[in-house]
Amino acid sequence: MFTIEILDVGGNTMEIRNLITFIHVAELGSFTKAADQLGYSQSTVSFQIKQLEDELNCLLFERINHTITLTPKGHELVECAHRIRSLTEEFKENTVEESLSGHIHIVTPDSVCDEIINRSYKKFHTKYPDISIKFTTADTSVMFDMLDHNEADLVITLDAHSYNRDYVIAKEELLSMHFVANANSKFAGVKNLSIKDIINEPFILTEYGQGYRRVFDREIAKKSLEITPVLEIGRTDIITSIIAQQNMISYLPDFVTRDMVAKGKLCYLDVQDMELDIWKQLIYHKNKWMSKALKTFIEFIKVNEFRK
């Protein structure tokens, strides 16, 4: 077992595992959840935190009515603990000669997940066969919650521009978005349309309250308008397939619809009064330890899934 002891200013030794336990408790806000995630008993977690508090001679958590809250000293230690863990993991990685390997968890919207798997995953796996990837699909708010609790390594959002000093934006781009319809739609080729011209048509939209759908609905509401879609579904491949066969309309990123438009199955509508700023952002937490595998995957995604 690889263990590291850190000598504190009082001459005592502090085990890195206690700091790692502290990080988990701080992120999850619970001794029980930290114990479950680490595979420890709750009493072990409590003992490690008490040992850390004794060694540092300060209270790290306030414990009131079965809830815990970081003290000011606890907040200070979070930053230090993350730096120590990062340096420790980097040292361990550099002392082991092995092929590039690891496990990466990325959280994305459905459409981005489909795009990466269909276009880029085979290329990545062929080049880095020992790096395993887990994809999860979720809404933006859930993504950030997962980053905050170290349940995801990185996320890709399709939403309004996000900035938070706790996150690092590794890459971003402003997306091109269009209303899209069947190639034989009565609106195909019509110039200078208004949203009011199509508002009463049957719409298929992505799920309510999620990602760019939330931005879209907010803009519609600003115009004192409302759309009640005939179908709501997160799978953009299903949306485009239905629209190609039916007289319906949707609002989607161009990377989702580009191929079917080129094949003459769909068309873009020239709606002039609905220009939304939707951003695609590759984000990770500033305290995330950047393994070689994670750095490699991020660089791959930046090159293959974002415009140059």
Side-chain angles (χ1 to χ4, degrees), residues 60-288:
L60 299 173
F61 294 99
E62 289 186 302
R63 302 158 174 86
I64 302 174
N65 293 330
H66 304 291
T67 63
I68 61 170
T69 306
L70 280 168
T71 64
K73 287 294 183 183
H75 280 289
E76 289 182 30
L77 183 60
V78 169
E79 295 292 329
C80 294
H82 276 293
R83 289 200 297 270
I84 291 169
R85 181 176 68 172
S86 179
L87 289 170
T88 302
E89 294 296 339
E90 183 178 350
F91 176 80
K92 288 166 61 178
E93 188 174 73
N94 290 336
T95 58
V96 179
E97 295 293 334
E98 59 181 14
S99 61
L100 191 59
S101 62
H103 179 76
I104 295 164
H105 184 192
I106 180 170
V107 187
T108 74
D110 287 284
S111 55
V112 174
C113 179
D114 292 344
E115 180 82 356
I116 294 175
I117 291 174
N118 292 329
R119 188 173 71 175
S120 302
Y121 175 72
K122 182 179 178 181
K123 179 181 176 182
F124 181 83
H125 178 69
T126 299
K127 191 171 183 179
Y128 306 105
D130 294 324
I131 299 178
S132 63
I133 310 295
K134 176 183 177 181
F135 283 94
T136 300
T137 59
D139 180 44
T140 307
S141 60
V142 176
M143 292 183 192
F144 290 146
D145 186 63
M146 294 177 75
L147 285 183
D148 290 340
H149 292 90
N150 200 30
E151 295 171 355
D153 296 312
L154 65 159
V155 304
I156 297 179
T157 65
L158 299 181
D159 210 320
H161 192 275
S162 296
Y163 175 75
N164 184 312
R165 64 182 181 178
D166 288 334
Y167 307 133
V168 176
I169 301 172
K171 187 79 172 181
E172 62 182 18
E173 65 176 334
L174 184 62
L175 291 180
S176 178
M177 306 280 296
H178 279 92
F179 287 92
V180 63
N182 184 287
N184 297 318
S185 167
K186 63 185 178 182
F187 299 107
V190 178
K191 299 296 183 182
N192 300 318
L193 289 168
S194 165
I195 183 62
K196 292 182 179 180
D197 295 326
I198 63 172
I199 194 74
N200 294 318
E201 299 296 317
F203 270 80
I204 305 179
L205 296 174
T206 49
E207 293 168 290
Y208 176 78
Q210 297 196 11
Y212 55 83
R213 168 70 191 278
R214 178 173 52 247
V215 183
F216 174 83
D217 284 343
R218 191 160 55 231
E219 187 65 21
I220 289 289
K222 287 180 183 178
K223 300 178 182 296
S224 300
L225 299 172
E226 183 179 0
I227 290 177
T228 302
V230 296
L231 177 64
E232 295 173 281
I233 186 170
R235 291 280 302 275
T236 54
D237 57 332
I238 293 178
I239 293 176
T240 54
S241 177
I242 292 175
I243 292 176
Q245 303 173 58
Q246 302 289 332
N247 182 32
M248 296 180 179
I249 296 174
S250 191
Y251 185 72
L252 297 168
D254 288 1
F255 75 83
V256 171
T257 56
R258 187 180 297 115
D259 287 347
M260 294 187 74
V261 170
K263 293 175 182 177
K265 296 181 178 180
L266 301 177
C267 69
Y268 293 140
L269 303 185
D270 186 35
V271 178
Q272 295 292 310
D273 54 352
M274 280 288 291
E275 294 187 6
L276 308 183
D277 285 346
I278 306 298
W279 288 82
K280 180 178 180 180
Q281 294 181 287
L282 177 65
I283 299 173
Y284 60 89
H285 199 282
K286 68 175 184 180
N287 292 325
K288 183 66 186 177

Side-chain angles (χ1 to χ4, degrees), residues 170-171 282 297-307:
K171 187 79 172 181
L282 177 65
F297 184 68
I298 288 174
E299 289 306 311
F300 180 88
I301 292 296
K302 286 166 65 176
V303 170
N304 291 275
E305 296 298 328
F306 286 78
R307 291 198 301 263

